[in-house]
Amino acid sequence: MNGLLDAMALIGRTLFGACLAAGRLVLFAISGISHVVRPPFYGRMFLRAFIEIGYFSLPVVALTAVFTGMVLALQSSTGLSRFSADSAVASLVVLSVTRELGPVLAGLMVAGRVGAAIAAEIGTMRVTDQIDALSTLSTNPMKYLVAPRLLAGLIALPLLVVVADILGVLGGFIIATVKLGFNSELYLANTLNFIQTDDVVSGLAKAAVFGVLITLMGCYQGYNSKGGAQGVGAATTSAVVAASVLILAFDYVLTELFFAR
Amino acid sequence: MNDAIPKIRLRGLCKSFGTKLVLDGIDLDIAPGTSMVVIGGSGSGKSVLLKCILGLIEPDTGTIEIDGVDLLHQDRRGRDETRSRIGMLFQNGALFDSLPVWENVAFGLLAQNRCTRAEAHAKASEVLAQVGLAPNVGDMSPSELSGGMQKRVGLARAIAAQPDILFFDEPTTGLDPIMGAVIDGLIVDCVKRLGSTAVAITHDMASARRIGDRAAMLFKGRIVWQGPATDLMHTGNPMVDQFTHGEREGPIQMELRK
């Protein structure tokens, strides 16, 4: 009987802890987003975050997209040839890249690169009293540290995904024409005929949400880190793991929202 | 402002973290233009006291008045206005390592839109000179500076906006005795020049005597003694005397974790 009660208590404590953590995260997000639209605005901080998230993530996102497009063309050709449906390779590549793989893989790459960096930077500022110092210098840390990063993530991720979409399709095109012997004009025509505005827009909308999730988790974990170097390390890991899981979960939710009939 | 009103008045200040009572009914008055040094061992609540006055930690109960105005019942704008009149030197400097030294020093001025960036740069060079640093230091990164130089930059940042209240958190910790004396000298000069009210927390007795006009000792979240800083070494209070002379035996027993 006591064992059952202990187990129930443990479940209760865990659920309560999870609700508490979710509530804190939501309040943090509301506060951060509200500061995005209220002055003063820190343009230099936004620009710095935008360059860090957008420009410096370009190489890793571009490489991921190109190789993904190449693999996709190769795999789909192998599979579709069994049903004599090779002509569908172009449409499968463009649809997969624009709707799913572009935003999700770009999101995961940026989560690993930028989410960790944001958590480490803000976490270090927390444990070295720099965030307290901001408060004593008439500066709201949420406005100075969090809001510019959220805005930068919201804008930079869709731009990265535009690049990822183009390079992903290009990767598929290269493999299809060079290795699999597709006619280049026909492949391009198939790609352009099949793709619709909704495919691209839904991918970009997902990217915008992922951009906010990545920066939000980096900021939240860093802002609440404690305990010196070990705490900052834990915050960095949590930021990447949480952002990655949230990207996949929100990907499903957004796909339901955009495409479920 | 009426001189009869203390610059800072604390009444019944209490703060707990979980079940641990850190501040247990602090009453303290600090007169305008004086320097108060709060001494006490590690974990006695000195830093929490400072953070409560600064508004970084919300006390559980009690009042904090600055110039007779209760900070805890001020609206956000009022608190921001009060905060803009306070300068703070953090224990480890807390310099923003993403910014050059001059921007660290001028951060408060820029944040309050008091000047352009060019004017802020010039003002930062001027303040750096006041703390004995050459103008070229302004273009360096905080990570390129020694501990003593970081403290000076932290001091320059604290005084740049000419605050009328200055807080110093362990200003000499981690410095050699000579550099500690230099920093203390700079603190005394700056406080005199600005006519500010200063509150310093420290467990460095030499520093406490150099900086303070008055001193108070915090033990287990309570003020157990206060008086002129010149009396620190012979207060007649066994707790204070044990602490200031660094004696093992006495009423203060070191708590060992078992």
Side-chain angles (χ1 to χ4, degrees):
Chain A
M1 189 63 185
N2 276 348
L4 185 66
L5 283 176
D6 287 347
M8 298 282 280
L10 183 66
I11 292 168
R13 271 200 300 273
T14 308
L15 280 176
F16 182 72
C19 290
L20 204 63
R24 283 192 186 128
L25 176 60
V26 169
L27 288 177
F28 185 88
I30 291 169
S31 171
I33 290 166
S34 75
H35 284 298
V36 170
V37 293
R38 282 186 294 154
F41 304 110
Y42 293 98
R44 294 168 70 88
M45 289 303 285
F46 165 75
L47 201 63
R48 194 180 142 224
F50 184 77
I51 290 169
E52 181 60 38
I53 297 169
Y55 182 71
F56 288 119
S57 298
L58 258 178
V60 69
V61 169
L63 282 173
T64 308
V66 169
F67 286 121
T68 303
M70 291 164 81
V71 169
L72 206 56
L74 211 54
Q75 289 280 26
S76 57
S77 165
T78 314
L80 292 171
S81 64
R82 293 177 194 166
F83 309 101
S84 305
D86 302 53
S87 59
V89 168
S91 50
L92 195 143
V93 168
V94 73
L95 208 62
S96 305
V97 167
T98 53
R99 280 189 179 193
E100 282 302 321
L101 296 176
V104 171
L105 291 180
L108 292 175
M109 288 297 124
V110 175
R113 212 190 76 79
V114 175
I118 291 174
E121 185 179 347
I122 296 182
T124 305
M125 289 185 76
R126 166 61 73 197
V127 300
T128 56
D129 289 335
Q130 291 180 51
I131 292 182
D132 284 347
L134 277 177
S135 300
T136 65
L137 292 165
S138 309
T139 303
N140 185 327
M142 290 295 287
K143 208 175 269 300
Y144 184 77
L145 295 174
V146 179
R149 286 175 166 89
L150 291 179
L151 186 62
L154 178 78
I155 297 172
L157 246 284
L159 295 177
L160 279 174
V161 168
V162 169
V163 176
D165 286 352
I166 293 168
L167 292 178
V169 172
L170 182 69
F173 173 79
I174 290 168
I175 288 297
T177 54
V178 174
K179 188 174 170 61
L180 303 173
F182 280 71
N183 176 289
S184 59
E185 285 176 17
L186 200 61
Y187 187 94
L188 275 181
N190 271 346
T191 300
L192 295 173
N193 286 340
F194 199 81
I195 193 171
Q196 291 182 344
T197 311
D198 285 356
D199 301 324
V200 179
V201 170
S202 67
L204 297 183
K206 281 181 179 179
V209 173
F210 297 164
V212 172
L213 288 175
I214 292 163
T215 47
L216 176 67
M217 292 317 298
C219 291
Y220 177 74
Q221 296 294 346
Y223 204 85
N224 292 295
S225 65
K226 49 185 96 157
Q230 195 179 18
V232 176
T236 306
T237 308
S238 301
V240 176
V241 172
S244 304
V245 171
L246 282 174
I247 283 172
L248 297 174
F250 271 75
D251 183 41
Y252 171 74
V253 173
L254 293 171
T255 305
E256 277 279 353
L257 208 65
F258 292 137
F259 301 110
R261 294 175 195 280
Chain B
M1 189 57 60
N2 185 352
D3 277 358
I5 299 175
K7 189 74 179 175
I8 302 171
R9 184 206 296 264
L10 310 179
R11 286 291 176 272
L13 208 61
C14 292
K15 178 66 188 175
S16 313
F17 294 102
T19 55
K20 185 171 169 54
L21 186 60
V22 179
L23 297 181
D24 185 10
I26 300 285
D27 295 329
L28 193 63
D29 288 347
I30 302 168
T34 60
S35 295
M36 166 68 81
V37 177
V38 180
I39 61 169
S42 303
S44 59
K46 303 189 299 293
S47 293
V48 174
L49 175 66
L50 213 57
K51 287 186 174 181
C52 282
I53 304 173
L54 276 166
L56 299 173
I57 294 177
E58 196 90 2
D60 299 332
T61 56
T63 58
I64 301 168
E65 291 178 13
I66 290 184
D67 290 330
V69 178
D70 186 355
L71 280 190
L72 302 176
H73 291 96
Q74 268 190 314
D75 58 14
R76 184 186 294 263
R77 185 171 292 181
R79 277 194 195 196
D80 287 347
E81 196 278 323
T82 305
R83 238 179 217 170
S84 69
R85 296 189 286 123
I86 298 175
M88 167 85 185
L89 170 62
F90 285 85
Q91 185 175 347
N92 54 13
L95 302 178
F96 308 126
D97 38 25
S98 59
L99 301 177
V101 165
W102 79 264
E103 224 171 319
N104 267 278
V105 174
F107 194 95
L109 299 173
L110 290 167
Q112 293 166 32
N113 291 319
R114 287 209 211 165
C115 55
T116 64
R117 286 182 69 79
E119 288 166 347
H121 200 314
K123 175 73 180 172
S125 299
E126 186 188 311
V127 182
L128 283 170
Q130 287 174 16
V131 297
L133 292 173
N136 67 314
V137 173
D139 295 321
M140 294 167 81
S141 159
S143 60
E144 296 176 76
L145 307 179
S146 67
M149 288 169 88
Q150 287 191 9
K151 279 271 160 75
R152 289 181 194 219
V153 174
L155 179 60
R157 184 173 69 182
I159 63 171
Q162 300 188 318
D164 52 26
I165 300 173
L166 278 162
F167 289 124
F168 304 102
D169 185 1
E170 309 276 8
T172 55
T173 296
L175 301 178
D176 65 69
I178 296 172
M179 184 52 73
V182 169
I183 294 292
D184 285 342
L186 285 171
I187 287 172
V188 171
D189 288 348
C190 292
V191 170
K192 273 190 185 154
R193 191 177 335 112
L194 296 172
S196 307
T197 305
V199 182
I201 61 173
T202 184
H203 45 209
D204 176 349
M205 289 309 109
S207 175
R209 289 199 307 277
R210 281 193 292 256
I211 296 174
D213 300 320
R214 292 186 61 79
M217 176 156 164
L218 205 57
F219 180 67
K220 290 191 172 174
R222 286 173 174 268
I223 300 281
V224 292
W225 175 85
Q226 57 177 308
T230 47
D231 292 353
L232 257 180
M233 301 308 285
H234 43 82
T235 63
N237 180 315
M239 267 189 198
V240 183
D241 289 345
Q242 183 196 351
F243 184 80
T244 54
H245 292 98
E247 289 163 358
R248 280 180 63 186
E249 302 300 324
I252 303 174
Q253 295 298 312
M254 185 68 78
E255 287 180 13
L256 296 175
R257 187 169 287 181
K258 291 175 185 168

